[in-house]
Amino acid sequence: FYLIYFFVIFLAGVSERLSSVLIGSILAAGAYVSLRWAGLTDGAASPDGSMFLRVAFLFAVALFYGFLVERIRLDRERRRTEHYARLERVNARLRELVELREAFVGSVSHELRTPLNAMLGYIDLVRDGSVGEIKPAAAHYIDKAYGRGVHLM
């Protein structure tokens, strides 16, 4: 009887479905009753009160463990679903922030490059000598400014 009892508990832990535990307990109870009637177990070969009490106990234990395992499985699935929903919300927010960042960088880039382009044009005119002659010390600084501006572009 104890081997059948542990089989039902094992089935409850492995299957995680109440229906599987109930089917297993019906099969186990049927096997126990058949073995008992065949006289292969200790006790009388005819049905008596202790046999029916053991079968009832087997079903009660199977229902109890099956119910517990089913509740644990459902709770695990509920938590997994909540976790996935939370991850989806976080991912949506991250996508929104990436789009905002890209829009900001594009806008700032455009707003900075436009005047920088104009300044580089004027510095190039000064470097070429189109606006007049410049001193060599000033030419060094103008070349540096032009180089840094080109690097920013």
Side-chain angles (χ1 to χ4, degrees):
F1 174 74
Y2 294 110
L3 183 63
I4 294 172
Y5 171 74
F6 287 118
F7 168 73
V8 170
I9 292 174
F10 173 75
L11 190 61
V14 171
S15 71
E16 294 188 359
R17 297 256 181 227
L18 182 60
S19 59
S20 299
V21 173
L22 289 177
I23 290 171
S25 65
I26 289 170
L27 292 174
Y32 174 70
V33 170
S34 298
L35 291 173
R36 184 83 185 257
W37 275 337
L40 299 175
T41 63
D42 55 344
S46 63
D48 62 352
S50 71
M51 182 179 71
F52 290 121
L53 184 62
R54 285 182 179 183
V55 170
F57 177 73
L58 186 68
F59 278 117
V61 167
L63 280 174
F64 176 71
Y65 282 116
F67 177 75
L68 286 179
V69 168
E70 183 82 7
R71 291 288 305 260
I72 290 169
R73 184 183 62 79
L74 290 174
D75 186 55
R76 188 182 318 134
E77 286 178 5
R78 179 189 53 81
R79 283 186 282 139
R80 185 180 302 133
T81 302
E82 289 173 359
H83 181 68
Y84 287 153
R86 192 175 334 121
L87 285 176
E88 285 297 323
R89 287 192 304 270
V90 168
N91 281 338
R93 179 66 178 145
L94 285 174
R95 282 197 279 308
E96 179 183 327
L97 290 174
V98 165
E99 288 175 8
L100 286 172
R101 180 188 58 102
E102 288 174 356
F104 174 75
V105 167
S107 174
V108 167
S109 174
H110 174 73
E111 294 298 323
L112 289 176
R113 283 184 174 197
T114 302
L116 185 61
N117 227 355
M119 289 189 311
L120 286 175
Y122 287 120
I123 291 174
D124 197 32
L125 288 175
V126 172
R127 282 178 60 209
D128 290 346
S130 300
V131 293
E133 201 167 309
I134 56 171
K135 296 180 183 176
H140 171 72
Y141 290 112
I142 290 173
D143 287 341
K144 272 188 163 185
Y146 185 79
R148 298 275 167 86
V150 168
H151 176 71
L152 287 175
M153 288 297 282

